[in-house]
Amino acid sequence: MLMYKEVTNQTERIEHFVMPKEKETIWMFYQSLEEMNQDGVLEQFDLHPLAKNAFLHFSEHPQLNVYANHAVVSTFYLGSEDYEPVRLNLLMGERYLIVMSEREISFREQLVQDFTNNPEHMKHVSYMLYYLMKDIVSSYLEVVDQLSDEFLELEKSVFIDPQKREIGRDVYRWKTRLHKLRQYVEAEESIIQKMGHEDFEYANEESGFYFKDLLSSFSRVTAAFDSFKENLKGILDLQMSLKSDHMNRIMKTLTLVSAVFIPLTFIAGLYGMNFEYIPELKWRYGYFYVLTLCLVLPVVIMSYFKKKRWW
C-alpha cells in the first residue's frame, strides 16, 4: 500500500508487500482475508502459531497480544450509519503495520491520504498505529454525537405522544445496543492504555504522549455511553410520568362529571320512590320546580369547581 523511506522522507505506493529494509517502514491495508492471502503476506514471516491464528481470525472483543517478534491487535471501527462495529486485525513488527478488515470501509482512503500528505506519520510503526487508532477513536466520537441527536429526538417524541408504545420498545433496543457497544468501549480503552505504556515493545519515546492524548479523547466516549444509559432510563421514567399524569387528568374529569350528576341522581331517586304520601307529587308546578333545580344545580357545582380551578 505505502512505503516510507527515511532517507528521502517520502512515501510511495506499493502494490504488494515486501519486507522493508533498514530505515524503511511499510503500511498495508487489506479489506478482506482473501485479498491478503492473494498477496502472500504471511508466507514472508516466521510467525508464532498463536500470532498467526490471532491475526487470521477476527475476535469478538478488542484485545492486544504481544509475541516474540510481533504484536496482534484486534480492534473495532464503529460505522456512523448503522452503528455496527467493523472488526480489524493488526499485525505489527519493528518496521511494518499490516491491517486487515472484515469488509470494505471508507476510512482506509483517509489514512492513505494522510500518510501521503504527511510522510512523517509513517516514520515509526508506533506513529502509524497512533494515527490508525486516532481514526478509530474519531469514529466512536462521531457516533457519540449522532447518538446524542437520536436520544434528543426520542425524548421529544415522548412529549409529543407519551402513549406511543414504540417509545418503550425503542428504549429497550437502544439499551441493549448500548450495552454491547459499552463492552467494546471498555476493551478499546484498555488497549489504548497498553499502547501508551512505556513497556509496550513497539512504542518509542514520543509515542507514549500521543497515546495518552488519545486516551484522554477516548474517555469522552466512555463518559458519553454511561450518560446515554442514564438518559434512556430518564426517558422511560418521563414517559411513565406523562402517562400517569394523563391518566390522572382523565380520572379527575370523570370524578368531576360524577360529582355533577350525583345530586341529580339523588333527586330522581328521591321522587321515584313508591310511597303513597309524597306532598311534592301533588304540586301543580312540581315538575317544573324539579326540572329547574336539575338545571341550576349543575351550573352552581361547575361554577364552584371553576372558582377552585379544579376544572
Side-chain angles (χ1 to χ4, degrees):
M1 181 69 68
L2 286 176
M3 174 185 287
Y4 170 77
K5 294 183 177 181
E6 187 176 349
V7 177
T8 60
N9 193 32
Q10 295 294 325
T11 57
E12 60 181 47
R13 282 184 174 268
I14 56 175
E15 296 298 327
H16 303 284
F17 179 82
V18 291
M19 289 300 293
K21 301 175 183 178
E22 193 165 345
K23 294 188 177 181
E24 291 181 349
T25 54
I26 286 182
W27 174 74
M28 303 295 293
F29 196 125
Y30 301 102
Q31 299 198 101
S32 68
L33 179 60
E34 294 75 14
E35 183 182 358
M36 188 198 65
N37 288 333
Q38 289 175 2
D39 208 8
V41 174
L42 299 185
E43 299 173 2
Q44 304 183 48
F45 297 110
D46 183 19
L47 285 177
H48 190 282
L50 292 177
K52 184 176 181 180
N53 182 70
F55 183 64
L56 292 177
H57 297 87
F58 292 104
S59 173
E60 293 301 322
H61 298 282
Q63 58 185 359
L64 170 61
N65 298 309
V66 180
Y67 302 94
N69 299 313
H70 304 87
V72 177
V73 179
S74 295
T75 184
F76 289 74
Y77 178 87
L78 199 57
S80 58
E81 296 179 356
D82 53 4
Y83 309 123
E84 286 298 324
V86 180
R87 295 179 292 182
L88 301 171
N89 283 348
L90 318 178
L91 176 65
M92 69 185 75
E94 187 178 353
R95 294 191 298 272
Y96 54 82
L97 175 62
I98 300 172
V99 185
M100 179 179 65
S101 66
E102 63 178 339
R103 68 172 188 262
E104 293 186 6
I105 48 180
S106 59
F107 98 107
R108 183 178 76 164
E109 297 305 319
Q110 298 173 6
L111 284 170
V112 171
Q113 186 176 358
D114 179 32
F115 291 156
T116 303
N117 296 335
N118 304 281
E120 65 276 7
H121 292 175
M122 288 186 63
K123 188 174 182 179
H124 191 272
V125 65
S126 61
Y127 294 160
M128 292 189 288
L129 181 61
Y130 164 75
Y131 286 105
L132 185 141
M133 294 303 297
K134 182 181 179 182
D135 282 350
I136 289 176
V137 172
S138 296
S139 74
Y140 280 86
L141 290 172
E142 186 176 347
V143 166
V144 164
D145 293 336
Q146 291 187 0
L147 287 179
S148 179
D149 295 336
E150 289 274 359
F151 296 147
L152 183 61
E153 291 299 320
L154 185 60
E155 190 172 8
K156 287 181 180 178
S157 67
V158 175
F159 286 101
I160 295 174
D161 185 8
Q163 306 299 321
K164 195 175 180 181
R165 293 184 178 180
E166 287 77 7
I167 294 175
R169 296 173 186 170
D170 290 341
V171 169
Y172 176 76
R173 283 195 293 266
W174 276 117
K175 288 182 69 174
T176 303
R177 181 176 289 184
L178 280 178
H179 178 72
K180 184 178 179 181
L181 292 176
R182 184 66 172 78
Q183 292 178 327
Y184 294 138
V185 169
E186 288 180 353
E188 292 282 1
E189 189 173 14
S190 176
I191 287 176
I192 296 174
Q193 284 179 334
K194 292 178 181 178
M195 291 176 179
H197 200 274
E198 58 184 8
D199 293 337
F200 185 55
E201 287 79 352
Y202 301 97
N204 62 8
E205 295 180 357
E206 296 183 358
S207 62
F209 298 104
Y210 287 96
F211 281 104
K212 287 179 182 178
D213 179 69
L214 195 63
L215 186 62
S216 176
S217 299
F218 199 73
S219 62
R220 178 194 163 195
V221 179
T222 307
F225 274 78
D226 291 336
S227 176
F228 289 154
K229 291 174 67 175
E230 293 298 322
N231 287 347
L232 287 175
K233 183 179 181 300
I235 289 173
L236 198 59
D237 291 341
L238 176 62
Q239 185 188 27
M240 295 302 296
S241 175
L242 292 176
K243 279 185 174 182
S244 177
D245 183 62
H246 180 68
M247 182 62 67
N248 288 339
R249 288 200 300 269
I250 293 175
M251 295 303 298
K252 177 182 177 181
T253 302
L254 292 177
T255 301
L256 294 177
V257 171
S258 300
V260 170
F261 281 94
I262 283 176
L264 306 184
T265 305
F266 171 76
I267 293 173
L270 179 65
Y271 291 109
M273 293 186 295
N274 294 321
F275 289 107
E276 182 176 355
Y277 298 104
I278 299 179
E280 291 86 350
L281 297 179
K282 303 295 183 179
W283 291 358
R284 179 179 180 132
Y285 300 105
Y287 169 76
F288 298 104
Y289 292 150
V290 171
L291 188 63
T292 303
L293 183 63
C294 289
L295 293 175
V296 171
L297 268 178
V299 174
V300 173
I301 293 172
M302 286 188 289
S303 299
Y304 178 77
F305 289 161
K306 191 74 173 177
K307 183 178 180 181
K308 291 289 186 179
R309 296 185 178 179
W310 295 351
W311 205 320

